Amino acid sequence: MTETAKTPADFWFDPLCPWAWMTSRWMLEVEKVRPVEVRWHVMSLAVLNEPKLDELPEKYQELMKTAWGPVRVCIAAEQKHGSDVLGPLYTALGTRFHNQGLEKNRETIVAALEEAGLPADLADAADSDAYDTELRASHKAGIDLVGQEVGTPVIAVPGSDGEQIAFFGPVVTPAPKGDAAAQLWDGTLMVAAIPGFYEIKRTRTVGPIFESTTQD
């Protein structure tokens, strides 16, 4: 399968979300078992929750205050160094935030930037609104495909008619591998392609199951 024959899968993420992280690790596995190429984009839980922030539990309001920094760093990295840096940077951030349980502070962000081969001073963007216009535009591009009632991740692929098929999720743990990853991908596309299909859901009985190492 040639590179040009691969199906682009646009994936909008906020590095703060553990469930998006699980889905992203599944998508890396999907790239191995299906002719798919993931294209990474930034969305923001902080932006998403702005209109209803006062209605959220106090604990979640505090979380949203910390949510601005990582996405601002990601969008600054993309603006200065191109979209190809987002995948490695997301992996470096997510591994530290979720697998290693490190603080979502400047030290952790700098270490992630260095692992991704990016300048450490990009961490300055965490406390700046310099790229908020671009951040909001990237967020809007993803959320407009699925509506305001969902979160991260958002995935979009071209349908057979050329129109994008977009959906939130899937929410899954642990991240499926091999044949299981392929089956979940095939099934997700099958139901998402049906006009008028909106939701399959059941109560979560376990939290995200993180592996000690990430996939390449």
Side-chain angles (χ1 to χ4, degrees), residues 84-119:
D84 287 348
V85 306
L86 283 178
L89 179 56
Y90 182 26
T91 290
L93 285 169
T95 299
R96 286 165 172 78
F97 289 170
H98 306 300
N99 295 63
Q100 298 175 9
L102 299 179
E103 293 292 328
K104 300 170 181 65
N105 55 23
R106 182 182 178 88
E107 180 182 0
T108 303
I109 290 172
V110 166
L113 287 166
E114 291 175 344
E115 180 183 316
L118 293 165

Side-chain angles (χ1 to χ4, degrees), residues 17-22 98 172-174 204 206-211:
C17 179
W19 293 104
W21 175 246
M22 299 301 303
H98 306 300
V172 62
T173 189
R204 301 175 196 169
V206 296
I209 300 172
F210 305 121
E211 298 186 16

Side-chain angles (χ1 to χ4, degrees), residues 161 164-167 189-200:
D161 59 358
Q164 280 189 306
I165 299 170
F167 49 89
L189 293 188
M190 186 178 298
V191 297
I194 301 299
F197 174 82
Y198 294 107
E199 187 173 1
I200 288 178

Side-chain angles (χ1 to χ4, degrees), residues 23 49 62 66 69 73 80 84 86 96 103-105 107 122 129 134 163 166 168 180 188-189 204 216:
T23 308
N49 286 290
E62 290 301 312
T66 68
V73 171
K80 290 188 174 183
D84 287 348
L86 283 178
R96 286 165 172 78
E103 293 292 328
K104 300 170 181 65
N105 55 23
E107 180 182 0
L122 281 170
D129 62 1
E134 292 81 2
E163 295 295 320
F168 160 72
T188 299
L189 293 188
R204 301 175 196 169
D216 296 329

Side-chain angles (χ1 to χ4, degrees), residues 42-75:
V42 184
M43 66 179 294
S44 169
L45 291 174
V47 172
L48 181 67
N49 286 290
E50 268 185 327
K52 55 184 178 182
L53 188 61
D54 292 341
E55 304 169 14
L56 299 175
E58 185 176 345
K59 183 177 180 180
Y60 202 78
Q61 290 185 37
E62 290 301 312
L63 180 64
M64 288 304 95
K65 291 178 183 178
T66 68
W68 284 103
V71 291
R72 281 171 164 169
V73 171
C74 286
I75 205 72

